[in-house]
């Protein structure tokens, strides 16, 4: 088919899709770890750290933005 080059398609998958998928998986892993840390702060340490909770929310927002793009 005219306009398709196998080398370009492989380049796109290698250098565009893989980093995006890696960032997507990594960002949701960070969100899960943030939930674990928030649980530890609230129930184990009994500390309510507003700065910590703000960073957890920012991690969630970043993951959602990466997921939407």
């Amino acid at each position: 088919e005219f306009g398709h080059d196998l080398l370009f398609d492989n380049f796109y998958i290698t250098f565009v899709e893989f980093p995006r998928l890696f960032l997507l998986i990594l960002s949701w892993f960070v969100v899960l770890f943030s939930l674990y840390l928030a649980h530890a702060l609230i129930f184990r340490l009994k500390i309510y750290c507003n700065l910590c909770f703000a960073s957890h929310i920012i991690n969630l927002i970043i993951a959602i933005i990466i997921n939407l793009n």
Side-chain angles (χ1 to χ4, degrees):
E1 185 173 292
F2 183 73
H4 280 270
D5 185 9
L6 185 61
L7 181 62
F8 180 73
D9 289 342
N10 287 338
F11 177 80
Y12 180 79
I13 291 170
T14 303
F15 292 104
V16 175
E17 288 298 321
F18 178 73
R20 184 182 179 279
L21 181 63
F22 178 72
L23 285 176
L24 183 67
I25 293 170
L26 186 64
S27 66
W28 285 108
F29 177 76
V30 169
V31 168
L32 290 175
F33 192 66
S34 291
L35 287 174
Y36 168 75
L37 291 176
H39 178 269
L41 278 172
I42 294 171
F43 295 108
R44 291 186 183 179
L45 299 175
K46 296 184 181 6
I47 295 174
Y48 295 97
C49 172
N50 290 333
L51 188 61
C52 299
F53 294 139
S55 67
H56 299 321
I57 292 171
I58 290 170
N59 287 334
L60 178 63
I61 291 170
I62 290 171
I64 290 171
I65 290 172
I66 290 174
N67 197 31
L68 292 178
N69 283 334

